[in-house]
Amino acid sequence: MSDFFDKVGDAFEKGGKKFSDKAKQVSDITKTQMDIKKAKDALAEKYIVLGKLYFEEHKDDSVEEVQSVAAAKQQIEILEKQLAVLKGEIKCPVCGAMVPAEYDFCPKCGAKIEKPAPAEEAAETTDEAEKVDGEVVDE
């Protein structure tokens, strides 16, 4: 009878070892996949930095891709201004933080917040949204 229990014990031990080995393999695969993703994300970030540096160096060039980036940046700026108006916020002229329009000073840097006239601000963002490089963007 003890021979039977020895065999059962050996079977459990072998099964446990196989399970443990497989679990380690799965763990190593997952870790390696995560390391690959981190490396790819880091590379993508480096491409972004490189692209920004290239753009800043060549932003006045007439290359179509450079001009399309400039137009996209301008459109984003216009949309961010519209969002700020909708949210009732003003961009701090010193640190760039978004500040509630009713504040007189920036809570981040303490700078005095100059407030544009409400009608002037709304008209400005509407006019900008209609034209980007002379083209109608928002219809």
Side-chain angles (χ1 to χ4, degrees):
M1 188 72 134
S2 77
D3 189 39
F4 171 76
F5 287 117
D6 288 341
K7 286 181 183 179
V8 170
D10 289 345
F12 276 122
E13 188 177 322
K14 286 179 186 176
K17 173 114 173 78
K18 282 183 182 179
F19 178 78
S20 175
D21 291 346
K22 191 64 174 174
K24 182 178 180 339
Q25 180 187 13
V26 169
S27 174
D28 290 345
I29 288 170
T30 302
K31 181 186 178 308
T32 302
Q33 287 173 330
M34 289 180 68
D35 289 345
I36 290 169
K37 183 178 179 343
K38 284 179 188 176
K40 284 182 177 181
D41 289 348
L43 178 61
E45 196 63 35
K46 290 176 191 317
Y47 278 134
I48 290 169
V49 170
L50 181 62
K52 285 179 181 179
L53 290 171
Y54 180 87
F55 174 77
E56 288 303 319
E57 189 70 29
H58 297 277
K59 64 184 169 191
D60 295 327
D61 293 358
S62 61
V63 177
E64 184 178 337
E65 287 80 9
V66 171
Q67 292 307 311
S68 68
V69 169
K73 285 180 70 167
Q74 185 179 10
Q75 181 65 18
I76 290 169
E77 210 173 281
I78 291 166
L79 292 170
E80 286 175 340
K81 285 181 183 178
Q82 287 177 343
L83 180 61
V85 169
L86 291 171
K87 290 171 81 177
E89 296 177 335
I90 299 172
K91 189 173 188 176
C92 174
V94 175
C95 71
M98 297 309 292
V99 178
E102 64 271 8
Y103 286 21
D104 292 325
F105 296 93
C106 175
K108 186 172 180 181
C109 72
K112 179 149 178 59
I113 302 296
E114 297 297 326
K115 298 175 185 170
E120 173 188 316
E121 184 178 304
E124 180 182 304
T125 56
T126 303
D127 291 344
E128 287 175 353
E130 290 174 358
K131 293 183 181 179
V132 172
D133 292 333
E135 296 179 353
V136 174
V137 174
D138 193 18
E139 292 186 274

